Amino acid sequence: NVKWVWSPNHLSFPNESWNEASDYYPGSAYVDWIGIDGYNWGFGDWFTFDEIYSSSYATFSTYGKPIMIGEFASAEDGGDKAAWITSTFLTIKNDYPQIRAFNWFNINKERDWRINSSSSAEAAFKTAVSDSYFLDSRPTE
């Protein structure tokens, strides 16, 4: 009744070749799901979902496990959060088929990560997650 999720950050800290997250993978016998965490920090670090996740996803999707985004969110400052949300969910739907679950980091901490940090962000999120793709109960294994 328990599933094990191995969930590294999308970047290694320190970001050095000797510290690649894949080097710490305990093995398929011990992992049911792969999780990846990452954020669009805003300000001078405004990144698309693809810029944050494509490299890790490319590596970890080869493990043949369902993938979850353990934590993700976008700041408001430095770009258009509503547009980021819309683009992110379209990208997940169209380009990341192994993502089967996600958790939005919904708190005002370091940045205002909340879904309702603005009315436009909240509206974009509601529209995005109402897509039948995200409502579908697809098998996870």
Side-chain angles (χ1 to χ4, degrees):
N1 294 332
V2 174
K3 299 291 182 186
W4 179 260
V5 179
W6 178 71
S7 187
N9 194 43
H10 76 286
L11 290 176
S12 298
F13 293 102
N15 194 10
E16 301 289 339
S17 60
W18 58 265
N19 194 39
E20 294 294 322
S22 57
D23 293 342
Y24 301 100
Y25 183 65
S28 292
Y30 303 100
V31 175
D32 298 304
W33 283 66
I34 303 292
I36 311 169
D37 295 348
Y39 295 87
N40 176 30
W41 282 85
F43 298 107
D45 295 323
W46 191 266
F47 297 108
T48 66
F49 182 88
D50 201 51
E51 289 170 327
I52 297 166
Y53 286 99
S54 65
S55 179
S56 296
Y57 182 85
T59 298
F60 300 138
S61 65
T62 64
Y63 294 9
K65 303 289 183 177
I67 294 176
M68 72 178 296
I69 303 300
E71 291 182 6
F72 80 125
S74 177
E76 285 277 357
D77 301 315
D80 184 337
K81 183 174 182 173
W84 190 91
I85 290 168
T86 300
S87 173
T88 289
F89 282 91
L90 286 172
T91 299
I92 291 170
K93 176 181 175 178
N94 295 324
D95 300 330
Y96 290 78
Q98 282 181 252
I99 292 179
R100 303 300 177 120
F102 55 81
N103 293 300
W104 187 275
F105 190 71
N106 197 49
I107 193 167
N108 187 357
K109 175 187 172 196
E110 299 115 358
R111 303 281 194 275
D112 194 348
W113 305 113
R114 296 173 301 159
I115 291 164
N116 63 345
S117 60
S118 67
S119 59
S120 61
E122 182 176 17
F125 187 86
K126 286 179 179 179
T127 298
V129 298
S130 69
D131 184 308
S132 62
Y133 179 85
F134 298 107
L135 302 173
D136 186 18
S137 27
R138 296 175 294 147
T140 58
E141 298 180 60

